[in-house]
Amino acid sequence: MPAFRQVGEKQLPNPVMCMAWSPKRDLIALANTTGELLLHRLASFQRVWSLPPSEFTGKEITALAWRPDGKILAFSLGDTKQVVLCGVEKAEILHMFPMQNPVTCMHWMEVMEESSALSSFYNSEDESKLFLPKLPTLPKSYSTTSKIFSEEKSDEIMNLLGEVRLNVLVLGGDAGFVELYAYGMYKIANLTGVSGTCRSLSLSSDLKSLSVIAEVRSADNNPQICYIQLDTGLLSDCLPEVTRMARKFTHISTLLQYLHLSLTCMCEAWEDILMQMDLRLTKFVQEKNTSTQVQDEFLELLLWGQSSPELQALLMNQLTVKGLKKLGQSIESSYSSIQKLVISHLQSGSEALLYHLSEVKGMSLWKQKFEPLGLDSAAIEGAITAVGSFSLKANELLQVIDKSMKNFKAFFRWLYVAMLRMCEEHVPPELNKMTQKDIAFVADFLSEHFSENEELFDRKGKYFNVERVGQYLKDEDEDLVSPPNTKGNQWLKFLQESTHLKESPLLFPSYPQKSLHFVKRMMENVIEQCLQKPAEVIGKSVKQAVFLPLYTVPESSENTPRLFELPSLWNDKKAKMHYVVFCMPEISPCKLYLLRKGTDPKRHIPNSVVSIDFSHHLDNADDDDAEAQTHYVYKCLDARFYDDEMLTVVMQGAEESSRHVLAQLPLASTLSCETEFNWEPNLRLDQQSSAIPCQGLVLGSQWRELENMKAQFVAVNGIRKVACVLSANLRHIRVFEMDVEDEDDEGADSQNASADQDGLETTMNSQGQGEESVKAGAGEHRDDTCQKAEEQLESEEALELS
């Protein structure tokens, strides 16, 4: 009876470049050569969703990593140099940030250390909810211009924070670039001094060190694989402070994105006003034969009650009474949307920003705790001032909108009455009354919104102008065309006359000549500078503790996807150890090597390097088949840590056409080796490989031959007890449950797989998944389908093997 149970198999249309199991669910993420991101479930390897490539995000996925809670999937793009955070529930892109260099590898870990200071912080972290109202969701009627965000994006953005416990996304790339992002969003460290190109990363769960596998050019310009251990002791020593600071800055980052989306919705509402009026008036202005301007035509109608034939034709034929009423309602709705967004979104978001920045300022004043992390109270004070200026500008926009709406309502009410009179229809008495103030409102509306000056021609010949409100929403550096009139403002007059208050740090500058967009960009830049300093300070504190050259890069691996290549890293959280597993095929093709280092760089680890000889078996032969197995010589193709005590390996017989095997290798006997290896510091490991202690291969019963498959790579998850095997052509995939033996009876196997599938569907649906369900127990039709699929796979695999 074969070990492990196969629960799915598929021949994919495009080669797979990355694959990673979810840490919490039976889901696996795949990225292929077209830039498509796929999510599959364990049962029958059914696809849950796919995220196609786009020009906005990119088309060359270079690395994948799951957030430890399994709710967010991070992936990097080489062509656009971006990192994207994707929600697993709905395949939505929640956050993106650019990188200076392409990312070649990533690792997302969760801090497992406990302390009384951290426990108190975990319990009190949600205090902001007691003082701040919940931020409202963005209106459904607007979607952002980037077309990658959903309508109810604001809730998803705030959920990016996840759990309070600190988790860190580690990114590595070319030219030794390594960056650490707390909660996947806030950069807490920018590391420099790492040699070569990063191939793999692993940050220890106690934050004491970072293991890096890098490809470094040697003195003779040959690429070699090196193990580098970086001492991140500052993060470990100041863990409670780092967690508090990172949590606050992540709050701030999400709020900045929330404000950005709110302002985008306001701009779209403003564009609706422009479009509605331009559609009605552009044709009239372009075709009219008179030399008078549009506003002159309307002023004649206002003053004398008579209109030109052109204006009357426009009003009665193109606009109509019914159309005017509908247009008025539409524009009033757009104005109201902008007003509500300012009140409920911009002001609420600004208040939350001020709250969190004020708390960060309080932290920075506790210099004993937070000054080593680079918190600068002066820089934070500047950020608070910038947010205050943004709030003042938003309030100024509210006043402008209020005045514009009064003029707008008065104009449409007057024009509606004028058109009723042209049609000789009855005018309701409540609309017939018009005060001198109403006439002034109409005149202001005409002078403000209808003109043919040079500024208006900048909008490509359109003739309706909402410059008074729209100027605040333009993303330009120019001053406002119509700044607010501050004559008679007693407060401003008092400030100008007071020498003490004029330069007071307690008062926020208002920037009366600048737009809302300009003040927002200025605020973002100030906050960005405030956030960058801790990353620089922490990054400079990180020092290289270990540099071990392992072996030269074999020429045969040049065409292999870098993400699938060994070495593989693992962090043993209980023993506080870093593990590196690798092969040196050009030196000893039948051996697998294991390197161990303590997470504390100062800690000495005995038996730091051992090897497993795949040509020497220690199994007891109980029957003829087992006896044949013990004399079989293997070479290792791929190896990944299943858990702290087990390796999952893909092996192939020493002969080229030999069988492929998936096996579980217990490490207890290998790590119990008493022979100590003395590393010569001036030599690479492959140059002294003969002195490395060696143990024989112990397979036991935990192995399975992979028939009709040229297996090459494997991805495993010991928590969920699952494995995914990928063929050498990167298209053929098989999925296994590792703690269940396969059934001899094909019907029983099908039944079990269906039952597992049902259970997974129930779990996913209860968590809000919207994917299609698959019916279990499809009977003979399913058996026929499976048989045809197996025949197709066998024929494709035969071609592949040939």
Side-chain angles (χ1 to χ4, degrees):
M1 183 179 297
F4 326 136
R5 181 171 68 184
Q6 181 177 326
V7 293
E9 182 171 21
K10 184 157 288 190
Q11 191 83 19
L12 300 174
N14 298 299
V16 173
M17 300 302 293
C18 317
M19 56 182 181
W21 283 102
S22 166
K24 296 293 185 182
R25 307 181 193 177
D26 294 335
L27 299 170
I28 187 170
L30 308 172
N32 59 33
T33 52
T34 67
E36 184 180 22
L37 183 64
L38 306 165
L39 188 70
H40 286 259
R41 64 177 60 184
L42 174 67
S44 302
F45 205 69
Q46 184 198 7
R47 189 167 74 181
V48 179
W49 52 253
S50 66
L51 189 66
S54 71
E55 294 182 358
F56 185 78
T57 56
K59 300 180 180 181
E60 183 189 338
I61 298 178
T62 58
L64 289 176
W66 287 83
R67 197 167 75 179
D69 64 0
K71 295 181 180 179
I72 302 290
L73 182 62
F75 60 96
S76 57
L77 297 131
D79 50 345
T80 57
K81 298 181 183 179
Q82 294 190 106
V83 173
V84 178
L85 302 186
C86 175
V88 175
E89 297 293 335
K90 300 178 183 178
E92 287 183 326
I93 293 177
L94 303 179
H95 184 60
M96 298 172 60
F97 52 92
M99 309 298 295
Q100 291 185 347
N101 299 299
V103 174
T104 56
C105 57
M106 59 172 61
H107 171 239
W108 207 333
M109 54 74 66
E110 185 176 42
V111 177
M112 302 304 293
E113 291 293 293
E114 296 288 353
S115 68
S116 57
L118 279 174
S119 299
S120 62
F121 171 65
Y122 294 157
N123 295 330
S124 64
E125 198 272 337
D126 288 335
E127 281 184 352
S128 60
K129 295 181 180 178
L130 302 175
F131 304 106
L132 297 172
K134 182 181 177 182
L135 293 176
T137 58
L138 296 172
K140 293 184 178 182
S141 56
Y142 298 105
S143 59
T144 60
T145 54
S146 62
K147 304 301 180 188
I148 64 166
F149 298 116
S150 68
E151 294 171 343
E152 297 179 350
K153 177 80 184 302
S154 51
D155 272 348
E156 299 294 336
I157 290 172
M158 304 318 294
N159 290 337
L160 273 173
L161 288 168
E163 298 178 359
V164 183
R165 183 181 294 276
L166 179 63
N167 58 74
V168 181
L169 175 63
V170 191
L171 307 174
D174 298 332
F177 123 81
V178 177
E179 292 180 353
L180 277 61
Y181 286 79
Y183 302 102
M185 293 191 64
Y186 165 57
K187 182 163 65 174
I188 57 171
N190 183 16
L191 311 187
T192 56
V194 180
S195 304
T197 300
C198 294
R199 295 265 292 264
S200 185
L201 298 159
S202 179
L203 181 63
S204 64
S205 63
D206 57 7
L207 287 184
K208 289 186 176 180
S209 62
L210 171 65
S211 284
V212 181
I213 298 296
E215 183 177 320
V216 184
R217 291 282 173 178
S218 61
D220 53 1
N221 204 31
N222 290 324
Q224 59 184 14
I225 300 299
C226 300
Y227 171 75
I228 303 170
Q229 188 175 17
L230 303 174
D231 186 348
T232 55
L234 180 61
L235 291 176
S236 176
D237 296 340
C238 302
L239 177 57
E241 292 77 24
V242 169
T243 305
R244 286 175 179 270
M245 180 185 73
R247 191 69 177 174
K248 281 298 170 190
F249 278 148
T250 308
H251 269 291
I252 291 166
S253 298
T254 56
L255 286 168
L256 286 175
Q257 188 170 355
Y258 177 82
L259 290 177
H260 172 74
L261 291 176
S262 301
L263 199 54
T264 302
C265 288
M266 291 168 57
C267 291
E268 289 180 356
W270 170 58
E271 289 293 337
D272 282 350
I273 298 175
L274 288 178
M275 184 177 65
Q276 293 286 344
M277 290 299 288
D278 280 329
L279 285 174
R280 301 298 195 279
L281 300 177
T282 301
K283 185 177 180 181
F284 162 69
V285 175
Q286 291 176 341
E287 293 181 356
K288 72 183 181 69
N289 298 320
T290 60
S291 59
T292 56
Q293 295 187 0
V294 179
Q295 67 183 61
D296 294 339
E297 300 271 359
F298 278 110
L299 281 173
E300 286 184 8
L301 179 60
L302 176 64
L303 294 176
W304 315 117
Q306 294 180 350
S307 62
S308 65
E310 290 89 350
L311 179 61
Q312 188 166 350
L314 163 76
L315 296 177
M316 304 308 298
N317 300 331
Q318 295 186 26
L319 199 56
T320 72
V321 175
K322 186 177 180 181
L324 176 69
K325 192 173 183 179
K326 186 177 179 181
L327 176 63
Q329 291 172 347
S330 175
I331 295 178
E332 184 177 1
S333 174
S334 297
Y335 266 123
S336 298
S337 296
I338 298 175
Q339 194 173 39
K340 289 175 182 176
L341 283 165
V342 175
I343 295 172
S344 61
H345 294 71
L346 290 192
Q347 290 188 338
S348 298
S350 300
E351 290 170 3
L353 261 181
L354 283 173
Y355 173 88
H356 290 295
L357 282 170
S358 298
E359 288 210 331
V360 174
K361 182 186 176 184
M363 295 178 190
S364 67
L365 295 176
W366 194 355
K367 297 186 181 297
Q368 179 186 358
K369 294 283 189 181
F370 290 94
E371 193 173 39
L373 299 177
L375 275 189
D376 184 0
S377 57
I380 297 166
E381 184 64 44
I384 292 174
T385 301
V387 176
S389 298
F390 179 75
S391 297
L392 287 178
K393 184 59 66 172
N395 189 61
E396 180 184 305
L397 176 59
L398 271 183
Q399 297 175 15
V400 172
I401 292 174
D402 185 61
K403 184 175 184 299
S404 295
M405 286 187 72
K406 287 179 181 178
N407 295 345
F408 157 79
K409 288 180 179 179
F411 170 76
F412 271 83
R413 177 183 172 185
W414 161 75
L415 190 58
Y416 181 67
V417 171
M419 291 180 68
L420 287 177
R421 287 173 177 161
M422 290 178 189
C423 299
E424 297 182 354
E425 295 184 9
H426 172 69
V427 179
E430 63 272 11
L431 296 179
N432 208 11
K433 298 177 182 178
M434 195 167 185
T435 64
Q436 193 64 34
K437 184 180 284 189
D438 292 333
I439 295 176
F441 284 155
V442 174
D444 285 345
F445 184 89
L446 293 174
S447 62
E448 178 183 339
H449 293 297
F450 294 95
S451 62
E452 294 181 74
N453 55 28
E454 293 179 0
E455 293 165 0
L456 198 56
F457 277 113
D458 290 341
R459 283 201 310 108
K460 299 180 181 179
K462 296 184 178 182
Y463 296 89
F464 177 67
N465 184 11
V466 287
E467 203 63 48
R468 190 63 61 89
V469 174
Q471 63 183 346
Y472 283 85
L473 303 177
K474 288 183 177 180
D475 193 6
E476 300 172 356
D477 293 335
E478 287 83 6
D479 291 348
L480 297 178
V481 177
S482 304
N485 185 4
T486 57
K487 291 180 180 180
N489 190 312
Q490 297 297 322
W491 170 250
L492 291 178
K493 183 179 179 181
F494 172 68
L495 285 183
Q496 293 297 326
E497 295 174 353
S498 173
T499 55
H500 299 288
L501 288 177
K502 188 184 297 184
E503 304 297 332
S504 173
L506 300 176
L507 298 178
F508 300 140
S510 60
Y511 304 102
Q513 301 295 325
K514 296 298 181 181
S515 69
L516 182 66
H517 251 297
F518 178 88
V519 178
K520 172 185 153 298
R521 279 193 283 111
M522 184 187 68
M523 173 188 71
E524 289 174 338
N525 292 335
V526 173
I527 293 177
E528 183 65 27
Q529 292 176 3
C530 181
L531 299 182
Q532 282 179 353
K533 189 172 181 181
E536 295 172 359
V537 171
I538 295 173
K540 289 178 181 178
S541 74
V542 177
K543 304 298 181 184
Q544 181 175 291
V546 176
F547 182 88
L548 300 175
L550 300 179
Y551 57 91
T552 57
V553 178
E555 295 180 1
S556 59
S557 69
E558 290 181 357
N559 297 325
T560 306
R562 286 288 182 253
L563 289 169
F564 290 134
E565 271 195 341
L566 293 176
S568 173
L569 291 171
W570 178 263
N571 175 224
D572 187 340
K573 301 175 180 60
K574 294 179 181 178
K576 297 188 176 181
M577 303 260 281
H578 286 294
Y579 288 87
V580 188
V581 60
F582 57 97
C583 295
M584 296 188 287
E586 295 190 350
I587 303 298
S588 46
C590 294
K591 286 186 178 181
L592 182 68
Y593 296 88
L594 194 64
L595 170 66
R596 296 191 298 166
K597 286 290 179 182
T599 56
D600 185 349
K602 300 175 183 177
R603 174 185 166 199
H604 173 70
I605 302 297
N607 312 321
S608 59
V609 183
V610 293
S611 65
I612 304 173
D613 190 352
F614 282 33
S615 65
H616 181 59
H617 294 248
L618 298 179
D619 298 83
N620 294 321
D622 295 331
D623 51 40
D624 295 338
D625 183 62
E627 186 175 357
Q629 173 69 15
T630 59
H631 295 291
Y632 209 85
V633 178
Y634 291 102
K635 63 179 180 180
C636 180
L637 299 177
D638 196 14
R640 305 289 157 172
F641 274 90
Y642 184 74
D643 55 31
D644 295 337
E645 301 172 351
M646 190 80 71
L647 269 178
T648 303
V649 297
V650 175
M651 305 183 297
Q652 181 187 4
E655 300 176 6
E656 194 64 32
S657 60
S658 298
R659 61 183 178 179
H660 294 72
V661 172
L662 177 67
Q664 297 279 67
L665 302 185
L667 296 176
S669 60
T670 303
L671 298 178
S672 63
C673 175
E674 297 180 358
T675 307
E676 183 69 26
F677 172 69
N678 295 317
W679 195 305
E680 291 292 335
N682 297 325
L683 297 175
R684 284 195 316 268
L685 185 64
D686 59 355
Q687 295 172 331
Q688 45 189 321
S689 60
S690 59
I692 298 175
C694 185
Q695 295 287 319
L697 176 65
V698 179
L699 277 180
S701 61
Q702 293 295 300
W703 64 275
R704 172 180 180 140
E705 184 177 353
L706 300 172
E707 298 177 351
N708 301 319
M709 183 180 191
K710 192 176 180 181
Q712 184 77 26
F713 306 108
V714 65
V716 295
N717 184 347
I719 299 173
R720 306 301 301 177
K721 303 185 186 305
V722 288
C724 179
V725 180
L726 181 66
S727 66
N729 69 356
L730 308 178
R731 296 172 185 265
H732 188 180
I733 276 184
R734 285 184 188 172
V735 187
F736 298 91
E737 285 186 338
M738 303 299 284
D739 63 339
V740 182
E741 290 187 344
D742 209 351
E743 298 286 347
D744 289 335
D745 185 4
E746 183 180 350
D749 179 74
S750 176
Q751 184 176 356
N752 290 336
S754 299
D756 289 345
Q757 183 175 320
D758 285 342
L760 279 168
E761 285 171 1
T762 304
T763 303
M764 297 294 287
N765 289 333
S766 67
Q767 293 165 342
Q769 293 282 350
E771 70 273 8
E772 299 178 0
S773 61
V774 179
K775 295 182 180 179
E780 295 179 0
H781 176 71
R782 171 168 178 161
D783 291 337
D784 292 339
T785 305
C786 291
Q787 186 176 354
K788 290 178 182 178
E790 288 173 1
E791 291 174 357
Q792 181 182 358
L793 284 168
E794 288 176 3
S795 62
E796 290 173 344
E797 198 61 28
L799 289 172
E800 178 190 334
L801 289 167
S802 61

